Amino acid sequence: EAQVTQNPRYLITVTGKKLTVTCSQNMNHEYMSWYRQDPGLGLRQIYYSMNVEVTDKGDVPEGYKVSRKEKRNFPLILESPSPNQTSLYFCASSSLPGPGGYTFGSGTRLTVV
Amino acid sequence: AQKVTQAQTEISVVEKEDVTLDCVYETRDTTYYLFWYKQPPSGELVFLIRRNSFDEQNEISGRYSWNFQKSTSSFNFTITASQVVDSAVYFCALSPTGNQFYFGTGTSLTVIP
């Protein structure tokens, strides 16, 4: 089944403790991206990657890092999480600019206390 | 500047009524993509449609239809004969490049049985 897999689904952590949210896709998509969803703000793009070793900042990259060492994986790293990074995070992949749209992962609900 | 406005925060309709969700976008790019996504209560994001800026043809898919008008920078979404399963948050999104995406803040639709 074609899918984007994010782990974990839920995570509670403490301020300053480094964490990684993993994202993997099995569709051989070149394009991958991370978003955060906050009430009243919709989805905002954090980082995106057009291919292996090619990443770029989205609208809200501060406090986040990403890497794209393999085509299928695009982990999101929070080196020193803060409470304002409490959010619902989505990973997505796409064959754009080819046909279709994004395929999103199921989301990771992160709480930083 | 790139921006997507979904002015309707919440809409409630009675089952079998038609409902239109509004989306207005801003971009200076002449080539861009427009999207609609659905987020049901379960939380996942489901791709509904993509439109290229050079294709103003309206689209119909079952009970769903989309009206793209470049003259008014709008990409509205109509659900005909709404059903309870249509209850969800709907997001409109703009991508000038296919890489960076800009989402609206979403419209929460409740269909009352």
Side-chain angles (χ1 to χ4, degrees), chain B residues 22-27 32 34 36 51-59 66-77 92:
Chain B
D22 297 331
C23 173
V24 175
Y25 63 92
E26 295 175 30
T27 181
Y32 49 88
L34 294 165
W36 276 95
R51 253 301 171 252
N52 302 333
S53 55
F54 49 83
D55 182 1
E56 284 194 73
Q57 205 169 13
N58 291 333
E59 174 126 355
W66 291 268
N67 182 9
F68 175 30
Q69 291 195 334
K70 281 179 87 168
S71 60
T72 55
S73 297
S74 64
F75 186 41
N76 297 337
F77 173 31
C92 180

Side-chain angles (χ1 to χ4, degrees), chain B residues 31-52:
Chain B
T31 303
Y32 49 88
Y33 304 94
L34 294 165
F35 303 82
W36 276 95
Y37 287 86
K38 175 182 179 179
Q39 188 176 41
S42 52
E44 73 271 22
L45 285 155
V46 179
F47 166 74
L48 294 178
I49 190 172
R50 157 186 153 177
R51 253 301 171 252
N52 302 333

Side-chain angles (χ1 to χ4, degrees), chain A residues 59-112:
Chain A
D59 262 353
V60 289
E62 295 78 20
Y64 304 95
K65 282 177 57 176
V66 292
S67 68
R68 188 92 182 273
K69 293 185 170 54
E70 306 165 279
K71 198 171 186 178
R72 61 185 293 122
N73 296 324
F74 190 45
L76 179 69
I77 303 155
L78 284 72
E79 295 269 2
S80 183
S82 62
N84 65 11
Q85 293 178 298
T86 292
S87 186
L88 178 59
Y89 291 87
F90 286 99
C91 179
S93 75
S94 167
S95 58
L96 278 171
Y102 273 135
T103 300
F104 281 88
S106 300
T108 296
R109 186 164 293 282
L110 172 66
T111 302
V112 184

Side-chain angles (χ1 to χ4, degrees), chain A residues 42-61:
Chain A
L43 282 88
R44 294 178 293 167
Q45 192 171 32
I46 303 172
Y47 269 95
Y48 62 93
S49 169
M50 291 184 285
N51 214 326
V52 175
E53 303 292 3
V54 180
T55 63
D56 210 342
K57 296 177 181 179
D59 262 353
V60 289

